[in-house]
Amino acid sequence: MSTPTEPHYRQPLLKTPFHERARALSQIDRFIPWAGYTTVDVFTSAEQEYFSVRNASSLFDLTPMVKYRVAGADALRFLNRLMTRDLAKLKPGKVAYVVWCDDAGMIIDDGTVFCTGPNEYRICTAERQMDWFTASAIGFDVRISEVTEEVAALAVQGPTSYSLLRAVGLAGLERLKPFEHGQFSMPGASAPITMMVSRTGFTGDLGYELWMEPADAGVVWDTLMRHGGTRGVRPIGSQALNMVRIEAGFVLPNLDFVSAAHTLRIGTERSPIELGLGWLVDFKKGHFTGRRALLAEQTRGPRRQLVGLDIEGTKPAHNSLLYTQRSGRTEAGSITSATWSPTCKRNLALAMVDAPYIATGSVLWVEIYLNRELVWERRMVRARVVERPFFAPARRRATPPAEF
Amino acid sequence: MTTPARARYDAVIVGGGHNGLVCATYLARAGRSVLVLEAADRVGGAAVTREFAPGFQVSAGAHLLHLMPPALLNDLDLGAHGLKFAAHNLPTVALSADGQHLSMQAGGGSGARLSAADARAYTEWRRLMRQISGALHPLLNGAPPRLGTDAWSDRKSLMRLGWRIRRLGRRDMRELLRIGLMNVHDLLEDRFESPQLKGALALDAVLGTNYGPRSPGSVLSLLYRLAATGGTEVLSQPQGGLGALSAALGRAATAAGAEIHTAAPVERILVKDDRASGVALASGQQVLAPVVVSNADPKTTFLGLLGAEFLDAGFVRRITHLRTRGFTGKVHLALDRLPKFPGLDPESLRGRLLVAPDADYIERAYNHAKYNEYSAVPMLEVTVPSLSDPSLAPAGSHVVSIVVQYAPYELNEGWATGRQRFTDIVIDTLGAYAPGLRECVRASELLTPADIEREFRIHGGHWHHAEIAFDQFFMVRPVPGATQYETPLPGLFLCGAGCHPGGGVMGLAGRNAARQVMNRAA
Ligand SMILES: Cc1cc2nc3c(=O)[nH]c(=O)nc-3n(C[C@H](O)[C@H](O)[C@H](O)COP(=O)(O)OP(=O)(O)OC[C@H]3O[C@@H](n4cnc5c(N)ncnc54)[C@H](O)[C@@H]3O)c2cc1C
């Protein structure tokens, strides 16, 4: 939280309620700005932090996620006109992954919607959306308020995350299914701490997200860290998260697509169909913003699509161009996100690929530049279009989750 | 209200303003079954005649006919449907407090104290305006092109536009491009000396808008007005007021086969499978039609009758931002007798009398409106229609119809108290040219933009339904996404003043819309 004594212009980046804890554990002082907050990029080493997500438990401070409260008699109608999915099916206690588009059917942002009661929702977004939400609210009886600073959020992810949360006393967690949320309590310093817990995350693994009062944040963090023990809890930064989210096949704004609210060049915006998120678009639910454009796009067929690539070798293909042949004469697209996956032991990437080459099994060529002590080398390596997600362990869905 | 004869029509038209009636006529002539539903108890919209004091009738909205192209009047054969003119080719007279009035007529200018330089400049001005408006006039006659499409028809109309401007010749083309974005004050300052002449021309530029003479866009508004008639503006007064024109349009529509119902407000446009499918009336009745054409203004149509939930959010935001606040009021006076207008001959008195002694006078009047006050000394466009048409008033009495600027939609002090004060100001302003006017007034009525909104169901009470401005004009009128009389909702069309080419009793929006409806079906 910002210190009220300092005017905002003296501290251009806000500090989350977990900041002091994170600073104490940061060994290499790698902080980055995220949505107006200073956050940890790497605590110690991205690889080590990565393994805590896949083999143990990780804590990730996601307070900077922008959060909105939406309520009012037309809240559901408002959301269903705003978003491409049919949220009539989203009952209290459920969470949905969503995208929303501009009139041209191009993605403005993705996020999650939590149904917290009849006609009452929380929306989590990557970027601030008040302007678009306000425009979308014209003609609807709905109140929208940003609650980003009122809610501290911590992701607890990894195979031992369930055991860890049980160990700190969250009773009833075994019943929580993926994409569900509920109120849970754990012992606090004096009184029990109650918070919303959702079985959601950005890792594609077993995991939870904890949504609490900022005042409780320190105690929750300390308690979780104390109960790590053999469960191996460790705080992680954005770099490790980026590795696991690529394995899980999730897209990130400004990496895999640029919000249509920000693009300046014609043709650089992306539709849900192009991002491979066509399953989020429900043409049967009635009108929503972008529907007519998306319907036309569906009829026409997309110009390009985001696909998963399995690339030869071990060098991540950051920012590479793709070609149809080794000769590199005809371009077929470009890589948007890339990582070596230590768990899959594969060289993975997400890539925006022109329509003719999007079919699973298509073979493309990737141009990788290697910097060997300032001597640049160019490699043309083979890449295959493969299914996403690259990594989807059964434990992420098991209810109740396994104990460790 | 009467009940529609059928449950299903080829086209339902929401609103029986003059544009709705013209649209209905052309659709019916093309063999469509057409139903017109008008909320008011008479057709005509803002072109109606009604009583405002016992025995006194007035054209309550528009009071002069000057924009409807003769070709359209002829094509609709309104004479056969009962339209007669009480007066034709009326002069415009710029009043002067000293009685040295300046009279202008379609044929040329005449009158007081124009210097030789001004006389020359005015002749050149008329030539230029005739040239430019002649070049621009055809643009009003069809759907404007859309940008960024591959459609041949759009490219063709863009090319034609370029060609027409090029064909003006180097000198006039340059002048058009130079003045197009200017304010009219600078333009007139460049060309003329006589304050009276500048005042009169500036009035034409700002009438019906939210502009002062120094506002950018005021030249566009002037060119628009001139282009509508191709530079040969002829003022006329239908016998029985503008309502008689609307009645004749109604008879033409009926003769063509359209069915018209008044006192039949539409409550909602129906949507089925993402298409307009008909309308629901306030009476509860529903009428089905694959084509719904709205004569109502864009805000009423999209936000009131259709609803945001059937539209994209960006589009709704654009509609919400459409500038639709009116700044024009109307004052009607019932006179026991006509006072003397010193310096005005009887012929001139029957014309269009302007109280705008100079351009700065108008700018000063405009200043108040910016801050939600009425003009302390307003600009007036006055007619005494009962002179040419005694049927409007009891024998010996007269009707004065005044368009007044500026009257804000929302008045700081509130119109409840402001109403009488502003009416008095208007009477006294005109009284300066007709001593004793106040003593002749038996009854009066003021229509503020809020009253105009209520009476004619025009959101914001704007003369043009939506401001005539570069960002709401031609290819982008009323907003991108609803141009060419079409809307984002298939089957829903627009045909009112909010579309290209805009407001005024012109009929082109209605006719162009009918053509577009038929193009779509073809
Ligand atoms: C004070 C004033 C003075 C003017 N003076 C002149 C002038 O002298 N000369 C000139 O050429 N122009 C003048 N104008 C402009 C001109 O009157 C208008 O631009 C023109 O009348 C607009 O015509 P329209 O058919 O497009 O719309 P309108 O005349 O506004 O007609 C729309 C119709 O739709 C109807 N409607 C709306 N909602 C519904 C519904 N839900 N159900 C059913 N029906 C509905 C309305 O009742 C109305 O009849 C003046 C305007 C004003 C305000």
Side-chain angles (χ1 to χ4, degrees), chain B residues 15 17-19 37-39 45-46 62-64 266 295 458 463 465 497 503-505:
Chain B
H18 81 281
N19 276 316
L37 297 169
E38 167 54 51
H63 60 177
L64 284 165
V266 168
N295 184 199
I458 298 172
W463 178 300
H465 285 192
V505 181

Side-chain angles (χ1 to χ4, degrees), chain B residues 430-480:
Chain B
L430 182 59
Y433 306 86
L437 172 67
R438 171 170 287 283
E439 288 65 46
C440 304
V441 176
R442 178 193 300 182
S444 70
E445 173 185 56
L446 166 67
L447 299 181
T448 69
D451 298 324
I452 289 166
E453 172 177 78
R454 221 167 302 124
E455 176 164 354
F456 304 122
R457 292 174 183 78
I458 298 172
H459 192 283
H462 199 287
W463 178 300
H464 293 283
H465 285 192
E467 191 66 79
I468 295 285
F470 288 109
D471 60 332
Q472 303 188 162
F473 194 62
F474 194 45
M475 287 184 270
V476 290
R477 185 168 181 84
V479 298

Side-chain angles (χ1 to χ4, degrees), chain A residues 77 81 102-103 131-132 135-136 138-140 287-292, chain B residues 274 303 308-318 320 488-490:
Chain A
R77 282 179 58 227
R81 167 8 177 63
D102 66 6
D103 294 15
D131 177 59
W132 186 247
S136 299
I138 297 168
F140 294 86
H287 186 69
F288 56 89
T289 298
R291 181 180 183 275
R292 291 173 191 125
Chain B
D274 203 37
L303 305 179
E309 66 186 298
F310 297 109
L311 297 163
D312 291 346
F315 180 82
V316 168
R317 174 158 60 184
R318 284 201 290 280
T320 313
L489 185 72

Side-chain angles (χ1 to χ4, degrees), chain B residues 100-145:
Chain B
Q100 297 284 317
H101 309 303
L102 175 65
S103 182
M104 294 169 273
Q105 206 146 10
S110 75
R113 288 185 314 189
L114 276 195
S115 67
D118 263 353
R120 266 198 312 278
Y122 188 56
T123 308
E124 164 58 15
W125 166 266
R126 293 181 67 94
R127 185 203 64 79
L128 179 68
M129 289 300 135
R130 237 187 344 266
Q131 284 295 107
I132 291 179
S133 54
L136 299 184
H137 175 68
L139 301 181
L140 310 190
N141 254 324

Side-chain angles (χ1 to χ4, degrees), chain B residues 343-428:
Chain B
L344 268 190
D345 57 85
E347 185 48 35
S348 297
L349 189 54
R350 278 154 37 101
R352 170 177 178 253
L353 314 178
L354 307 184
V355 176
D358 60 68
D360 283 337
Y361 172 102
I362 304 177
E363 189 70 31
R364 268 192 295 275
Y366 175 56
N367 285 346
H368 301 272
K370 290 189 274 194
Y371 308 106
N372 284 344
E373 293 155 11
Y374 50 68
S375 307
V377 190
M379 162 193 117
L380 310 178
E381 182 200 59
V382 184
T383 60
V384 189
S386 49
L387 283 171
S388 306
D389 184 355
S391 73
L392 297 173
S397 318
H398 282 282
V399 171
V400 181
S401 170
I402 306 169
V403 170
V404 53
Q405 268 174 227
Y406 297 79
Y409 177 93
E410 240 172 305
L411 188 68
N412 285 335
E413 65 161 302
W415 278 113
T417 54
R419 182 174 298 276
Q420 193 53 50
R421 258 197 280 271
F422 190 53
T423 310
D424 288 344
I425 284 176
V426 171
I427 295 172
D428 290 342

Side-chain angles (χ1 to χ4, degrees), chain B residues 133-203:
Chain B
S133 54
L136 299 184
H137 175 68
L139 301 181
L140 310 190
N141 254 324
R146 259 186 280 228
L147 286 177
T149 71
D150 292 332
W152 174 236
S153 59
D154 289 333
R155 290 207 198 146
K156 212 168 56 185
S157 20
L158 269 177
M159 268 156 40
R160 255 197 256 129
L161 167 60
W163 170 239
R164 271 192 211 108
I165 292 177
R166 190 68 198 82
R167 222 179 31 182
L168 281 171
R170 180 189 293 267
R171 202 170 55 118
D172 288 353
M173 177 180 79
R174 271 207 202 137
E175 189 61 3
L176 170 62
L177 298 181
R178 186 180 76 86
I179 69 176
L181 301 177
M182 272 173 84
N183 71 67
V184 77
H185 191 283
D186 288 351
L187 176 61
L188 298 173
E189 212 52 40
D190 274 358
R191 288 178 172 261
F192 301 110
E193 292 168 357
S194 157
Q196 221 172 330
L197 182 57
K198 286 187 275 191
L201 295 174
L203 178 141

Side-chain angles (χ1 to χ4, degrees), chain B residues 283-328:
Chain B
S283 66
Q285 198 186 348
Q286 298 200 345
V287 180
L288 300 182
V291 168
V292 175
V293 188
S294 177
N295 184 199
D297 66 88
K299 279 190 184 162
T300 301
T301 303
F302 291 115
L303 305 179
L305 297 174
L306 183 58
E309 66 186 298
F310 297 109
L311 297 163
D312 291 346
F315 180 82
V316 168
R317 174 158 60 184
R318 284 201 290 280
I319 291 292
T320 313
H321 289 182
L322 201 60
R323 297 189 299 291
T324 55
R325 280 280 167 96
F327 286 82
T328 309

